[in-house]
Amino acid sequence: MITKSVMITIAGRPNVGKSTLVNALTGEKVAIVSPKPQTTRSRIFAVLNRDDTQFVLLDTPGFHKARTRLGEYMVNVVKESVADVDAVALVVEPVDNIGTQEQLLLEQLNKSGVPAILVINKIDTVKKEELLRIIALYAGAFIFTAIVPISAKKGDGIKDLLHEFQKFAVEGPQLFPDGMVTDQPEKQIVAELVREKLLMCLDREVPHGTAIEVTMFSERDDGIIDLDVTIYCEKQSHKGMIIGKNGEMLKKIGQLARTDIERFMGTKVFLQTWVKVKENWRDSQSAMRNFGFTS
Ligand code: GDP
Ligand code: MG
């Protein structure tokens, strides 16, 4: 059972390996890793439950603004949940001078007074003596609560780092539900919005037995997004109610959902909705996983 939570900002200039680190921490592909900088879209990197603790890992704030509506939405979720992060993990490359961007980040850290852990990544590319010099250099520049050398790519030092994060955990309810899927947060939000419209338009009993799956999510070159959404329900009679007379109800749900999705994505959306009957989907483990409930 989760009884503690900790929020960590993963700071660092582009390309130091922040996304790779998050993937190593969670053991899954949750953040986009790219040899090109600035590919991380939203501020939430990942939500990770380990033993009694929920770890919420955030992208560097202030380094790039929330570019999409989704980004803003995520930022608001975070703002509403807690006033501030518990600690910052500053990720740097193993080079023995402190770069301009690192210096700026250190200044920010000084001003904010938030505790900071230094994460020296890519240690697979340097010799030990060199690493020791780098550690000494940073230790002289700022008072870090810990300095953890890692190789995100090889998985070295990851456990130690999690242990350092754990030290900042505070008692309290978990901030995000168990089923939170973070590899494609856009999909999750689309599903949430469709679900919301089902709740708005239908008697409670029907939406309660539904699961929403986003079966297609693709972005055209001009930014228009094509979406296929399947609504699974438990009974044939429910299917009838969701579709409605002459398809009126489904059309209404689709239109309402599309308007909201467009607002979130900041772009035009083509939404196709389907309704299927899947009896007792709630009892089926594999069906649950397909719908993204991965607890
Ligand atoms: P971000 O911009 O900080 O999120 O950086 P990414 O995680 O996208 O990684 C940038 C590049 O550094 C990618 O090509 C990664 O494969 C590479 N990289 C990340 N971690 C390591 C590591 O521990 N060792 C080495 N050699 N390369 C790494
Ligand atoms: Mg990244």
Side-chain angles (χ1 to χ4, degrees):
M1 206 181 106
I2 303 291
T3 57
K4 293 177 201 166
S5 70
V6 56
M7 282 194 124
I8 307 275
T9 288
I10 312 285
R13 61 172 178 74
N15 232 29
V16 292
K18 298 182 297 296
S19 301
T20 310
L21 168 61
V22 171
N23 291 335
L25 282 166
T26 58
E28 284 166 52
K29 277 234 172 302
V30 289
I32 305 161
V33 180
S34 158
K36 280 187 245 143
Q38 292 292 1
T39 48
T40 310
R41 285 180 71 174
S42 65
R43 273 193 48 189
I44 290 198
F45 266 143
V47 180
L48 163 70
N49 290 346
R50 280 283 179 286
D51 303 325
D52 62 351
T53 307
Q54 181 164 71
F55 298 83
V56 180
L57 308 173
L58 306 178
D59 198 353
T60 316
F63 248 58
H64 55 88
K65 290 189 204 126
R67 272 198 288 146
T68 59
R69 293 274 175 182
L70 173 70
E72 287 168 27
Y73 174 83
M74 292 298 211
V75 170
N76 284 334
V77 167
V78 170
K79 275 190 186 153
E80 283 162 17
S81 312
V82 279
D84 222 335
V85 293
D86 301 302
V88 170
L90 174 61
V91 185
V92 299
E93 285 190 342
V95 285
D96 67 356
N97 65 4
I98 302 177
T100 319
Q101 295 191 64
E102 277 76 16
Q103 253 152 23
L104 285 171
L105 281 168
L106 288 178
E107 274 170 35
Q108 276 184 19
L109 288 176
N110 251 327
K111 271 187 221 150
S112 69
V114 182
I117 299 158
L118 182 72
V119 181
I120 304 175
N121 188 28
K122 309 194 186 182
I123 55 163
D124 54 298
T125 63
V126 288
K127 292 210 179 77
K128 196 164 181 189
E129 311 85 77
E130 222 175 316
L131 178 62
L132 293 175
R133 271 206 302 279
I134 298 160
I135 291 173
L137 179 73
Y138 273 97
F142 188 86
I143 303 165
F144 292 100
T145 58
I147 295 181
V148 188
I150 67 160
S151 169
K153 209 169 180 175
K154 302 212 155 153
D156 293 336
I158 301 300
K159 262 199 184 149
D160 298 336
L161 187 57
L162 212 49
H163 184 66
E164 291 302 330
F165 290 173
Q166 168 80 50
K167 290 182 184 170
F168 294 99
V170 288
E171 297 282 335
Q174 65 185 72
L175 300 167
F176 294 92
D178 279 345
M180 177 99 184
V181 175
T182 53
D183 59 347
Q184 278 165 316
E186 293 100 334
K187 275 194 181 179
Q188 179 119 356
I189 285 168
V190 167
E192 266 175 36
L193 289 172
V194 173
R195 189 174 178 76
E196 190 185 288
K197 304 313 166 203
L198 283 168
L199 284 162
M200 260 173 65
C201 298
L202 295 160
D203 275 346
R204 203 165 256 179
E205 182 207 2
V206 180
H208 209 74
T210 58
I212 317 289
E213 188 182 20
V214 180
T215 45
M216 187 185 69
F217 189 116
S218 75
E219 196 173 340
R220 301 185 198 173
D221 288 341
D222 57 5
I224 293 174
I225 294 172
D226 289 293
L227 289 173
D228 276 6
V229 173
T230 304
I231 300 163
Y232 291 93
C233 57
E234 288 181 316
K235 291 180 191 152
Q236 195 63 37
S237 61
H238 288 178
K239 181 176 171 176
M241 283 186 255
I242 294 168
I243 292 174
K245 206 175 153 203
N246 300 322
E248 293 290 334
M249 182 55 83
L250 188 59
K251 200 170 153 192
K252 184 178 163 192
I253 289 164
Q255 275 170 355
L256 288 168
R258 183 176 51 80
T259 308
D260 274 10
I261 295 165
E262 285 184 338
R263 207 146 40 89
F264 270 123
M265 300 294 169
T267 181
K268 198 168 165 55
V269 166
F270 283 99
L271 173 66
Q272 289 220 70
T273 45
W274 315 86
V275 184
K276 288 183 185 166
V277 180
K278 196 162 194 161
E279 276 171 46
N280 303 322
W281 64 264
R282 270 186 285 189
D283 302 332
S284 152
Q285 279 281 335
S286 68
M288 290 288 269
R289 262 197 297 277
N290 281 337
F291 296 131
F293 297 90
T294 54
S295 59

